[in-house]
Amino acid sequence: MTDIPESHPRYESLKMRESLVKSVEEGITSQAGLIAHGRGEMFDYLLGEETTEMAKKAERKAVAELDKAENPVISINGNVVALVPRGIIELSRTLDAKLEVNLFHRTDERMKKIEQKLRENGAEKIYGLDPEEEIPGLDHKRALCSHDGIYTSDVILVPLEDGDRAQALKKMGKKVITIDLNPLSRTSKTSDITIVDNITRAVPNMIRCEPLQEDFDNGYNLRRTLHYMSERLKILSEEI
Ligand code: ATP
């Protein structure tokens, strides 16, 4: 890795990029994953790279729903492993949720590498490696999942997910929770709870936070997030 001084104003962002590039080189993250990250970064810029009050609320509600679930599952892809390899495992322990690897660009080689990386970081049982089931309505590889994991989950956390699969999971009747910096993505609009925050902040927050038991209106929370972004743009435009 190159040495980025901690004093660099974009230190965190540059470290994330480095982790992703390394992860592509290792064959864990797909090249398309880099582009997805770039899209996320753009929205993080609009948030001031900070967790908003709306995101905190969604994170707390997500934890409450995952806590209450009978079969909670956390879906993992190459970007998640690159950015929060330890955090996601710790979160699964805190929530007593299963970890399932579910890839858009699924190859046997990438699955093995992700499994290895998760094991190195302390994961024990990993679902999705020998999938017996398919999520209805998706093409074969993207649909593959474990019977005891995603297939029979009632509440599922799908961070950095694509819209097709989020919609297909909703159609299966699941409660879908996402972490997605883009409040306008199909995944964000489809999910029951949308955490508009960087996964690198959202996961540690979820490990520590107090579950929210009160009602939560996801549409209202998303509208407030968009409003926050547009207000911030206005303020920034006046500073130029
Ligand atoms: P959709 O299909 O839901 O409309 P999309 O085509 O943008 O969205 P993907 O390309 O699969 O979906 O990207 C996944 C999403 O993850 C993007 O919306 C991106 O904003 C978001 N994202 C990328 N990196 C991060 C990150 N570090 N933290 C949170 N979200 C991220």
Side-chain angles (χ1 to χ4, degrees), residues 153-203:
S153 63
D154 52 346
V155 182
I156 178 164
L157 174 63
V158 283
L160 286 50
E161 182 58 279
D162 103 288
D164 282 359
R165 200 160 43 203
Q167 285 168 354
L169 291 165
K170 269 303 290 173
K171 280 202 190 118
M172 287 176 85
K174 301 181 189 307
K175 187 161 275 184
V176 176
I177 301 171
T178 194
I179 302 171
D180 190 333
L181 278 161
N182 178 5
L184 298 168
S185 73
R186 288 174 307 153
T187 306
S188 283
K189 292 196 265 185
T190 303
S191 298
D192 296 281
I193 302 175
T194 307
I195 299 165
V196 182
D197 200 2
N198 200 309
I199 191 167
T200 55
R201 298 189 298 269
V203 166

